[in-house]
Amino acid sequence: MILPKIRDPRFVTIRRGGTLTDADHRLLALWAASCAEHVLGLFESAEPGDPRPRQAIEHARAWVRGEVKMMQARAAGGHAMGAARNLRGAARHAAYAAGQAAVVAHVAAHELGAAAYAIKAARAAQPDGMSEAAARLECQWQRDQLPEAIRELVLDDQRLRNDICWSVFDC
């Protein structure tokens, strides 16, 4: 479970009673898509014929551009997570990262799901002696990609939800 029991109003759009602007919601979706895309090759090398995770990332970006509706992005996310079900290790985590990125259109707080699964994918792709270093590098890469407008929001969210996100944000 990567979502808190009580929804943080900072991740609920203003029109739904929270404080999240549409512009920041789009930035969260783009950042999540970048996190997922960064490890997508780990899925595609294991399942080169399955386009679902890539399509989920594309749908996340298309939602930001207003080219698809939220329900289409959400459905693409579900399909990407379906691609993960029969897999293990890095490929599975990378597909879940893509799925989480797409569902940010529906629930903004899934942004950490995309990031956390990407870190898990990077960790799982390395031998045991190098896995923690790979996880820290991926976490730092993600932080370097954060747009200034959402940087503090995401970093605070990482601090608050690190324990339910497998403690992957200790970088």
Side-chain angles (χ1 to χ4, degrees):
M1 172 58 92
I2 58 158
L3 294 176
K5 291 179 183 181
I6 299 171
R7 291 186 71 185
D8 184 335
R10 298 174 303 163
F11 290 91
V12 177
T13 59
I14 291 169
R15 72 182 159 283
R16 299 231 184 256
T19 61
L20 183 67
T21 66
D22 287 343
D24 286 352
H25 192 177
R26 288 189 295 272
L27 287 174
L28 289 168
L30 288 174
W31 178 71
S34 293
C35 291
E37 187 173 51
H38 196 239
V39 297
L40 182 61
L42 298 171
F43 173 83
E44 291 180 332
S45 64
E47 296 290 329
D50 191 339
R52 292 177 290 176
R54 181 170 293 280
Q55 288 170 344
I57 294 167
E58 290 169 0
H59 271 75
R61 291 191 172 121
W63 174 77
V64 168
R65 294 188 303 267
E67 297 169 3
V68 302
K69 301 229 181 265
M70 176 276 293
M71 290 298 285
Q72 292 170 288
R74 186 175 110 180
H79 294 307
M81 289 185 258
R85 285 193 187 101
N86 293 327
L87 300 174
R88 296 289 173 259
R92 179 184 178 110
H93 299 314
Y96 277 136
Q100 291 288 310
V103 298
V104 170
H106 179 245
V107 175
H110 280 288
E111 103 287 3
L112 278 197
Y117 277 113
I119 292 168
K120 287 183 71 155
R123 177 187 290 152
Q126 297 300 319
D128 283 342
M130 300 170 67
S131 63
E132 290 309 311
R136 282 191 302 279
L137 284 173
E138 184 64 24
C139 181
Q140 192 56 57
W141 179 88
Q142 292 175 0
R143 288 180 178 180
D144 290 345
Q145 308 313 304
L146 276 167
E148 194 58 39
I150 60 167
R151 182 174 185 74
E152 287 307 313
L153 174 64
V154 172
L155 293 178
D156 190 46
D157 197 26
Q158 286 180 349
R159 285 187 290 274
L160 292 173
R161 289 199 285 155
N162 193 35
D163 59 331
I164 63 172
C165 290
W166 314 287
S167 300
V168 298
F169 299 116
D170 293 332
C171 62

